[in-house]
Amino acid sequence: MAAPTGISLRCLGYARQWFCFRRHRFIIVPNRRHSVSESGVLYLLNKRGILKDAFPDTAGQLQLPMLLESGSQTVYCGFDPTAESLHVGNLLAIIGLLHFRSAGHNAIALIGGATARIGDPSGKATERETLSEKSIEQNTRGIRDCLERIFTNHELYSPRNSKKPLGTVNILNNASWYRGIDVVEFLSTVGRHFRMGTLLSRHSVQSRLKSAEGMSLTEFSYQIFQAYDFYHLNQHHDCRIQLGGTDQLGNLMSGYEFIHKVTEQQVFGLTIPLVTTSTGDKLGKTAGNAVWLNRDKTSPFELYQYFVRQLDSNAQRQVIRSVWGVYLKLFTFLPLPEIEHIMDQHGREPEKRGAQKRLAAEVTKLVHGKEGLESAKRYQMITDGGVWLNHARVTSPEQVLIPGQHILNNGLTLIRIGKKNFYIVKWLRL
Ligand SMILES: N[C@@H](Cc1ccc(O)cc1)C(=O)O
């Protein structure tokens, strides 16, 4: 973590924390003259490395901490249903929302049933493929399922630092408010507030305009829809904070500007960092494929393995040690002193792979619950080489039982699990 040595902006005497920005990192420096609210959610998110930028920066530095301390607030983050499941790359945004929930604030996960049809150009070099309404509906079901499961697991299993009651979580779909909006009405009332110069200046637009393919009006208008969503949630759910990945900054700014113009209310955008592996790749891809959060696309075992395995090379041990510590802070809700303890132990006995096993266990429990974690561990036993069939070690969970080899001619199989547990299985021929 970067040391808090940049330009700092002191809050007036009544603020509990002040912030500084250095090399695009969001740093919160506790105000030593006043009792520091080290339990504040921004302070915590920052300590865990989950915050990157705030928008608008100056107001964000001074007003947002005060707003969050003044009472329960509503925070939202959107997910477009472009696939049947969310993936590991979405996990940090969900975890960010859940930290707000743990601190007693209310979280909205917005499924972009409407925006998925428009297609967000942010971070994309080419126009998105058009999705049929039917596949968007199917994807929406998969994503809703995924979010509900994670929210329940968070409530059941995640350790909490705050004594405040958990905030609410709400899953909404923006298709529900666009259904009733007339296109002429939308352009004449909403469209009027957006200035072409500002829209054109966004990075997502600029990079696409320079490409040979250019950009369609549909994708160009995406930021207006996301801005309107923020406005809608502000009006109907008193939502004043939007969370998104770093590529979402332009969309967050459009929302801020629109709401500010129409309502004069102060709202905020927060970005979370893009997590990369030690080799610089986006986290959440294995052999180029995404690691999904729904079990029919990536099993609990594969998810567990992904976190245990990747970066697991001796050549990178020094890097790995610090990376595991960072991942534990980002992807688990374990208290920071406990993470330090895990890392100390890991430093003493790295061969036990304690840090990565704990990381994998916590992530699998959050995503698939206790039952999912148990099933992942049962397979793990096989890949660790702790299972023998007729005295031969089995290391692949895909192992098939072959008659004559694993099922002896007398119809028996001797199974050994670990050092001491022996079982005889008698197979009946039907
Ligand atoms: N544009 C976001 C998803 C989103 C959709 C609608 C919103 O209101 C907010 C966010 C993304 O692609 O990640």
Side-chain angles (χ1 to χ4, degrees):
M1 294 299 116
T5 51
I7 341 121
S8 68
L9 288 169
R10 268 167 206 263
C11 298
L12 302 174
Y14 45 80
R16 295 253 183 109
Q17 299 161 343
W18 75 80
F19 300 75
C20 59
F21 287 77
R22 185 167 179 256
R23 273 193 244 116
H24 308 295
R25 272 214 66 80
F26 191 80
I27 296 164
I28 302 173
V29 186
N31 184 342
R32 297 282 165 216
R33 283 190 299 130
H34 300 272
S35 64
V36 178
S37 170
E38 296 201 345
S39 59
V41 63
L42 287 184
Y43 184 81
L44 181 96
L45 284 175
N46 186 59
K47 269 204 119 177
R48 300 191 79 104
I50 303 180
L51 281 187
K52 179 118 176 37
D53 288 309
F55 188 85
D57 50 6
T58 45
Q61 290 159 40
L62 301 173
Q63 296 169 13
L64 184 55
M66 286 190 275
L67 179 73
L68 287 164
E69 296 234 333
S70 70
S72 205
Q73 299 300 319
T74 302
V75 189
Y76 104 94
C77 182
F79 306 91
D80 277 346
T82 48
E84 289 158 299
S85 164
L86 294 175
H87 53 81
V88 165
N90 301 117
L91 205 50
L92 203 54
I94 303 174
I95 288 175
L97 277 182
L98 291 176
H99 276 294
F100 277 97
R101 180 202 197 188
S102 292
H105 302 289
N106 303 320
I108 295 176
L110 178 69
I111 302 181
T115 36
R117 297 188 67 188
I118 309 290
D120 189 352
S122 315
K124 289 271 174 285
T126 51
E127 185 108 3
R128 284 173 182 268
E129 239 175 72
T130 315
L131 290 163
S132 71
E133 229 174 305
K134 199 160 163 249
S135 58
I136 289 181
E137 271 170 27
Q138 192 178 335
N139 294 348
T140 299
R141 277 195 293 277
I143 288 177
R144 179 180 287 276
D145 192 61
C146 183
L147 290 166
E148 279 172 355
R149 182 167 21 89
I150 293 178
F151 293 160
T152 307
N153 292 335
H154 169 252
E155 190 167 348
L156 290 176
Y157 309 122
S158 292
R160 295 193 57 215
N161 305 320
S162 167
K163 289 186 183 64
K164 288 186 189 154
L166 272 184
T168 60
V169 275
N170 215 340
I171 302 176
L172 303 175
N173 187 338
N174 61 14
S176 68
W177 50 87
Y178 290 109
R179 221 169 271 137
I181 294 184
D182 175 90
V183 63
V184 176
E185 172 81 9
F186 188 74
L187 273 183
S188 78
T189 53
V190 177
R192 209 170 283 287
H193 293 282
F194 291 85
R195 310 314 297 166
M196 284 305 294
T198 320
L199 295 180
L200 282 165
S201 72
R202 300 286 184 235
H203 177 74
S204 58
V205 175
Q206 280 298 313
S207 58
R208 286 287 289 285
L209 288 182
K210 284 188 197 121
S211 72
E213 196 192 347
M215 183 180 217
S216 71
L217 176 66
T218 309
E219 284 204 356
F220 174 69
S221 69
Y222 188 95
Q223 46 181 316
I224 299 180
F225 285 90
Q226 187 159 332
Y228 185 80
D229 286 344
F230 197 0
Y231 168 79
H232 177 95
L233 295 174
N234 174 265
Q235 296 298 295
H236 292 84
H237 298 266
D238 198 20
C239 172
R240 297 221 213 154
I241 305 159
Q242 182 178 178
L243 209 63
T246 42
D247 63 339
Q248 295 295 307
L249 192 60
N251 293 338
L252 302 188
M253 285 167 158
S254 295
Y256 162 84
E257 284 157 7
F258 178 55
I259 297 173
H260 202 60
K261 252 187 210 163
V262 177
T263 71
E264 288 185 12
Q265 229 193 94
Q266 181 72 62
V267 295
F268 306 90
L270 292 176
T271 63
I272 48 173
L274 178 72
V275 185
T276 51
T277 65
S278 63
T279 50
D281 298 320
K282 261 194 198 176
L283 187 85
K285 295 244 156 125
T286 172
N289 299 315
V291 179
W292 301 97
L293 305 182
N294 280 7
R295 67 196 301 159
D296 49 350
K297 286 174 80 78
T298 298
S299 70
F301 168 69
E302 287 166 319
L303 181 74
Y304 183 92
Q305 283 293 303
Y306 175 76
F307 278 95
V308 173
R309 283 275 166 84
Q310 65 124 8
L311 306 177
D312 196 15
S313 93
N314 283 336
Q316 293 177 315
R317 186 155 283 170
Q318 277 315 314
V319 183
I320 295 162
R321 248 193 236 173
S322 57
V323 166
W324 293 124
V326 171
Y327 282 8
L328 279 165
K329 284 188 203 156
L330 292 174
F331 292 106
T332 77
F333 292 87
L334 296 174
L336 296 178
E338 192 173 338
I339 294 180
E340 261 171 48
H341 177 72
I342 295 170
M343 292 314 295
D344 281 350
Q345 262 186 328
H346 184 78
R348 268 180 260 123
E349 302 173 297
E351 65 288 350
K352 287 200 169 160
R353 300 149 94 211
Q356 53 266 56
K357 282 188 179 164
R358 188 64 192 272
L359 171 72
E362 290 296 317
V363 173
T364 310
K365 199 161 53 168
L366 178 68
V367 175
H368 295 297
K370 266 208 169 120
E371 175 278 317
L373 174 60
E374 275 156 22
S375 80
K377 279 189 169 165
R378 279 197 291 276
Y379 278 106
Q380 171 74 35
M381 204 187 297
I382 298 179
T383 50
D384 278 353
V387 177
W388 283 260
L389 290 180
N390 297 335
H391 300 297
R393 195 175 233 158
V394 176
T395 51
S396 163
E398 263 99 57
Q399 174 80 55
V400 175
L401 296 188
I402 304 167
Q405 183 184 345
H406 300 112
I407 303 173
L408 302 177
N409 292 340
N410 57 7
L412 297 179
T413 302
L414 176 66
I415 300 179
R416 175 179 149 200
I417 296 173
K419 282 193 179 138
K420 295 183 196 141
N421 304 308
F422 289 87
Y423 302 89
I424 292 175
V425 177
K426 172 129 184 85
W427 302 91
L428 299 178
R429 191 188 285 272
L430 298 177

